[in-house]
Amino acid sequence: MTDNKKHGSTAGDPKLLQAERTTPNGNALSRLSQVSDHINTSESQAPASDERPAAANTSRRRTRKVKNTSSDLPADYSDILGQLANLRAKASTPDLNRVGYVRQKEAGKLWVRERVEQLLDPGSFREVGSVSGTVKWRSLGGVREEPEDFVPSNNVQGFGKLRGRIILLTAGDFSIRAGHADGSLMAKTVYMEKLAVALRLPIIKLVDGSSGGGSVTTIRTNGFSYIPPLESVDHVVKQLNMGIPNLGAVLGPAIGLGAARVVACHFSVMAADVGSLFNAGPKVVASATFEEGLTLADLGGPAVHCTNGTIDNLAATEAECFEQIRTILSYLPNCGTQIPPSLPCDDPADRRSPELRSVIPRKRERMYDPRRIITTVVDKDSFFEIGALWGRTVIVGLARLDGRTVGVASNNCEVLAGALDTAGSQKLTRHLKFLDVFNIPLLQFVDVPGYAIGTVAERTATMRWGIELMKAYYTTTMPIFSVVTRRVYGVAGGVMLDCRDPRMRIAWPSGEWGSLPLDGGIDVGHAAELRTIEKQAVAQVRKDNPEISKEEAEKAGQDQRRERYRELDTEYRRLMNPVRTANAFGVEEIVDPADTRVIVCEWTKHVYEALLAERVLLRVAGKLHPVFA
């Protein structure tokens, strides 16, 4: 008898095993037998290769044990952190051998990260997308790898501070693919535009190149052409109308999309030594319009775009661009749902200015310096002019009254006698919308003889743009205070002074007003009378002295006409005494010019304490929607 039979085991006898499986406990014994066979087989056989060993349970697949490589990686993720540090170090260190970097320095321009460092408060920059770009990786075996070569995205962006205020920043890097799209990631730009809307933070755009605009090499890279997308524009328009400051600087050639980005801003400035802006560069222009030999400055330098309104301000250097951006931001809120910032002021609000009594000449034909009036009335050294080189018939800018931000506008009698021409109307229209979206009240000094006249005025559509100005005055809602310094005539005068109800205005003793200026107005209103007097005088002279020549008779008639004209002029000047207008309550108050600052400071204080808070609540509630774009 075998050992199996001796010990009563059925494991080795198939017939007995089959018999036992028919008993009530057969199923359990069967399972136990299978387990026992599997254990015995595994212990007695040691496979010499990856070949699966024979076993009773051959129907079940056995998985191959894989070595866990993650156990070889550092637990503190220092490998990943090291890769990030490596890439960031490469991005923040200029490649002195790169052609683009060499060209950048030879042109006298700062490198993009030098610009960021000079603009922002020291140590305040926190980059977003710091390792975005094109990386060539080197394998170290298994899952390990390290960056071998890195070309950063040519759009540096992130958070920073300007004089303690948090802002967003985007800066184009011309040294990498001249700022074209095939050297950047459009998603970065779109993301920052969205962040500005979501966080209600000002955004500053330093443009050098196309700022993500197109290049024909993109077609080769992608393997196909494309219809140009403008994913960021919707977010930019939202920013502009929400009163989120958009401030741009041209620090090199701003081309195509780069040009569009900076021109769309609330405020833009160009560096005179390195800046230019155009829709397409000289080579493209030469092939399209046959204008050859153009330089960047010829095509779109400061002499072009700082004098036609495309760019607001001119700065001598990049450093001055940065200072202008810091300065203008100090007048603006972070968003249109906030009141503009106020600063401590050591210029007394009750300061009187007796010198203003003589600033307007008694002789009407003489000019004066309107900037002298502005700088005398507002806080000392607080006037920041915008667009000084274009639309020169008006002066606009920002200032402070007792530390509170105000917008400033004034007619400029030194250019076209202050008549509103096309460029002046465009400039003032833009300024009104600018103030409206930022909740900034307007102080305006009015001396307007009317809209510009003559052939040039008609050819440049003066009335068209004058009516656009009228629309801006009547659709904006920020508070306006007017100081009438001298003339108010015609439609232009009515537009500037009658756009709010009730009007907030005062006049100086030098004020004069009416439908038309007397010069020319008398000729029109008394044309028939003057013509008759002249004819009668000629006839009378010939009757009294038949031998007189025709020329002498006509001279006598002209003398009679001039005499009557002087009589009419004297009569009208007497009737146009501004006190007579005040007697009829045609002007609310004529004041001593020396008291102008006191009055406007009181008005500004009330606006900030009583009116702007309500205006902000209306914007938060969605009941007031100023429009800049």
Side-chain angles (χ1 to χ4, degrees), residues 50 62-68:
D50 290 341
R62 297 191 58 197
T63 58
R64 181 180 175 183
K65 188 175 181 180
V66 180
K67 183 178 179 181
N68 184 6

Side-chain angles (χ1 to χ4, degrees), residues 300-541:
V304 177
H305 287 310
C306 292
T307 59
N308 65 11
T310 301
I311 297 296
D312 293 308
N313 279 19
L314 176 66
T317 62
E318 294 188 53
E320 188 178 326
C321 284
F322 302 152
E323 185 58 27
Q324 288 200 32
I325 288 175
R326 294 187 196 100
T327 299
I328 194 170
L329 182 62
S330 69
Y331 295 93
L332 307 178
N334 281 353
C335 182
T337 54
Q338 299 175 6
I339 293 175
S342 298
L343 298 179
C345 177
D346 56 6
D347 191 356
D350 59 356
R351 171 175 56 81
R352 302 182 78 248
S353 307
E355 64 271 25
L356 292 179
R357 293 172 181 157
S358 58
V359 74
I360 306 293
R362 293 301 295 254
K363 191 172 182 178
R364 300 186 307 276
E365 294 79 9
R366 289 184 178 175
M367 301 297 101
Y368 60 91
D369 181 6
R371 291 179 177 84
R372 180 184 171 193
I373 296 176
I374 295 171
T375 55
T376 301
V377 171
V378 303
D379 293 353
K380 184 179 179 181
D381 299 326
S382 72
F383 180 52
F384 178 79
E385 187 169 356
I386 299 173
L389 300 180
W390 77 283
R392 296 173 58 242
T393 57
V394 295
I395 299 167
V396 303
L398 298 170
R400 293 186 179 89
L401 289 171
D402 198 20
R404 300 176 179 90
T405 299
V406 294
V408 175
S410 173
N411 302 100
N412 185 6
C413 63
E414 295 183 315
V415 180
L416 288 181
L420 281 169
D421 61 353
T422 292
S425 293
Q426 292 171 340
K427 178 176 172 179
L428 189 49
T429 297
R430 178 179 172 85
H431 193 56
L432 293 176
K433 294 180 178 181
F434 176 94
L435 300 178
D436 202 35
V437 297
F438 289 119
N439 306 315
I440 299 175
L442 171 64
L443 170 64
Q444 60 179 2
F445 299 91
V446 181
D447 178 9
V448 57
Y451 288 125
I453 59 176
T455 57
V456 173
E458 303 303 336
R459 289 172 184 154
T460 55
T462 295
M463 185 54 72
R464 162 65 70 186
W465 294 105
I467 296 306
E468 290 301 312
L469 174 61
M470 179 190 73
K471 294 175 185 177
Y473 266 112
Y474 279 83
T475 55
T476 55
T477 58
M478 73 286 180
I480 297 179
F481 193 97
S482 301
V483 179
V484 179
T485 58
R486 190 155 66 173
R487 300 158 300 172
V488 182
Y489 287 108
V491 175
V495 165
M496 294 186 71
L497 286 179
D498 210 37
C499 57
R500 295 292 185 270
D501 188 16
R503 311 175 193 94
M504 301 297 296
R505 67 187 182 191
I506 57 175
W508 285 5
S510 49
E512 59 176 87
W513 33 70
S515 298
L516 286 172
L518 286 185
D519 297 332
I522 293 176
D523 284 317
V524 173
H526 293 269
E529 177 187 355
L530 294 171
R531 190 165 50 248
T532 299
I533 289 174
E534 184 176 355
K535 288 181 179 180
Q536 290 177 347
V538 170
Q540 187 64 41
V541 168

Side-chain angles (χ1 to χ4, degrees), residues 9-21:
S9 172
T10 61
D13 191 337
K15 293 183 179 180
L16 292 176
L17 180 61
Q18 181 65 30
E20 288 188 1
R21 286 174 179 169

